[in-house]
């Protein structure tokens, strides 16, 4: 439904970019795609939208080339989840036990969906679309559904781990001037994935590892007065905010479920953290504050 709405009423590319502080004209950003004249001269109806879509770059979700690689698995998995809900009760009963031995189609669709999402998130020029959020939600619903996930996760868990690692690296390595809108979209996806109980702990471990390694590299650079990666320093904050949000959710749920993150990365992260904060607090107060906030959340369950 969202895909159809966006095809009929295409979203303005200029509205997808937040002001980065640079003097970049929104008209130029719109005209650079070569579609401004058609868009302004006609009302958005089905016919004009088709002509408009023919000139959109291939990363647009409605494009028939790469778009289908994402929309097809989303639609298939949506139908599968709908059938799963219908089989809850009534006369119609669907037996999903055969997926244990023959789940190639479902796993292949999940793999295509993850690859398609990685392609879109890896490009800083794509418009942030509601359809991307819908695709991620479909993926999470599939994982959350125990009768389906029990058969699918065994073959797709490694692919899901690779997907999370790719999203984290997309955040860390993005050096575009107008990157913050794209980073926000990737961060939102990681938060959605982290809210799933099956994926949460592994995602927290990945985030803790990246933040810890960067903190150690920053401390080493500061001690020898060497240059450090400024872009990575700016991009580490989204990871800190994601980590803080996931740990906050974990802490809030711990009072009910008595479950909290206690992985190996927690021990590594807290090992020399006080010394790192002590040495970096004067030169990097904001980053030191985030490190301290994360440490408080990691220790909060134990303190309680």
């Amino acid at each position: 439904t969202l895909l159809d709405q966006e095809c009929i009423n295409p979203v303005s590319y200029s509205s997808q970019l937040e002001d980065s502080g640079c003097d970049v004209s929104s008209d130029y950003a719109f005209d650079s795609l070569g579609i401004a004249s058609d868009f302004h001269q006609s009302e958005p109806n089905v016919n004009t939208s088709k002509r408009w879509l023919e000139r959109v770059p291939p990363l647009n979700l409605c494009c028939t080339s790469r778009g289908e690689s994402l929309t097809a698995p989303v639609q298939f998995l949506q139908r599968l989840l709908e059938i799963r809900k219908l089989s809850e009760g009534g006369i119609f009963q669907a037996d999903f036990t055969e997926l244990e031995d023959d789940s190639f189609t479902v796993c292949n669709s999940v793999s295509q969906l993850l690859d398609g999402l990685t392609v879109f998130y890896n490009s800083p020029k794509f418009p942030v679309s509601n359809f991307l959020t819908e695709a991620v939600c479909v993926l999470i619903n599939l994982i959350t559904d125990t009768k389906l996930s029990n058969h699918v996760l065994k073959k797709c868990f490694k692919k899901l781990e690779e997907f999370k690692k790719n999203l984290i690296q997309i955040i860390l390595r993005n050096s575009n001037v107008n990157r913050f809108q794209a980073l926000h979209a990737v961060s939102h996806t990681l938060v959605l994935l982290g809210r799933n109980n099956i994926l949460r702990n592994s995602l927290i471990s990945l985030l803790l590892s990246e933040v810890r390694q960067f903190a150690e590299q920053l401390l080493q650079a500061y001690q020898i007065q060497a240059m450090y990666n400024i872009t990575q320093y700016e991009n580490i904050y989204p990871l800190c905010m994601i980590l803080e949000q996931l740990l906050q959710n974990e802490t809030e749920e711990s009072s009910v479920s008595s479950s909290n993150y206690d992985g190996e990365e927690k021990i590594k992260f807290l090992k020399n953290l006080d010394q790192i904060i002590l040495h970096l607090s004067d030169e990097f107060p904001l980053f030191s504050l985030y490190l301290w906030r994360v440490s408080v959340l990691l220790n909060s369950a134990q303190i309680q």
Side-chain angles (χ1 to χ4, degrees), residues 190-253:
L190 284 172
V191 170
L192 290 177
L193 293 174
R195 289 175 181 173
N196 181 271
N197 293 329
I198 301 174
L199 304 177
R200 179 187 298 164
N201 284 350
S202 61
L203 179 55
I204 291 177
S205 295
L206 290 173
L207 292 169
L208 282 174
S209 177
E210 291 293 343
V211 174
R212 175 182 58 82
Q213 291 179 34
F214 178 78
E216 292 174 351
Q217 294 171 5
L218 188 62
L219 175 61
Q220 184 179 6
Y222 173 71
Q223 289 176 336
I224 63 176
Q225 296 299 306
M227 293 293 294
Y228 62 92
N229 191 327
I230 298 177
T231 299
Q232 194 171 3
Y233 174 78
E234 294 175 345
N235 293 343
I236 200 70
Y237 288 102
L239 296 188
C240 291
M241 288 186 282
I242 297 169
L243 184 57
E244 185 178 6
Q245 187 169 348
L246 295 181
L247 290 173
Q248 184 67 44
N249 293 340
E250 184 76 14
T251 302
E252 292 173 354
E253 295 174 6

Side-chain angles (χ1 to χ4, degrees), residues 7 11 32 34 42 68 80 102 113 118 123 145 164-165 167 180 182 193 197 217 226 246-247 268 276-277 300-301 303:
C7 287
V11 180
S32 63
S42 58
E68 287 182 353
L80 182 64
D102 187 16
L113 177 56
T118 302
S123 173
D145 193 306
K164 290 184 291 184
K165 292 178 181 178
L167 292 186
F180 300 104
L193 293 174
N197 293 329
Q217 294 171 5
L246 295 181
L247 290 173
K268 293 180 180 180
I276 293 176
I277 294 176
S300 60
I303 294 172

Side-chain angles (χ1 to χ4, degrees), residues 3 137 144 174:
L3 180 65
C137 290
T144 306
N174 197 322

Side-chain angles (χ1 to χ4, degrees), residues 260-273:
N260 62 303
Y261 176 78
D262 195 24
E264 182 181 351
E265 282 299 329
K266 174 181 177 179
I267 300 174
K268 293 180 180 180
F269 184 86
L270 296 175
K271 185 176 181 180
N272 299 317
L273 187 62

Side-chain angles (χ1 to χ4, degrees), residues 146-160:
T146 54
K147 290 190 177 181
L148 291 175
S149 64
N150 289 339
H151 308 294
V152 177
L153 273 177
K154 295 177 181 178
K155 298 181 180 180
C156 296
F157 189 78
K158 187 175 181 180
K159 187 76 175 181
L160 283 165

Side-chain angles (χ1 to χ4, degrees), residues 121 123-124 126 128 174 178-187:
Y121 283 131
S123 173
F126 69 86
V128 180
N174 197 322
N178 288 301
R179 67 183 181 274
F180 300 104
Q181 182 77 355
L183 295 186
H184 175 74
V186 181
S187 300

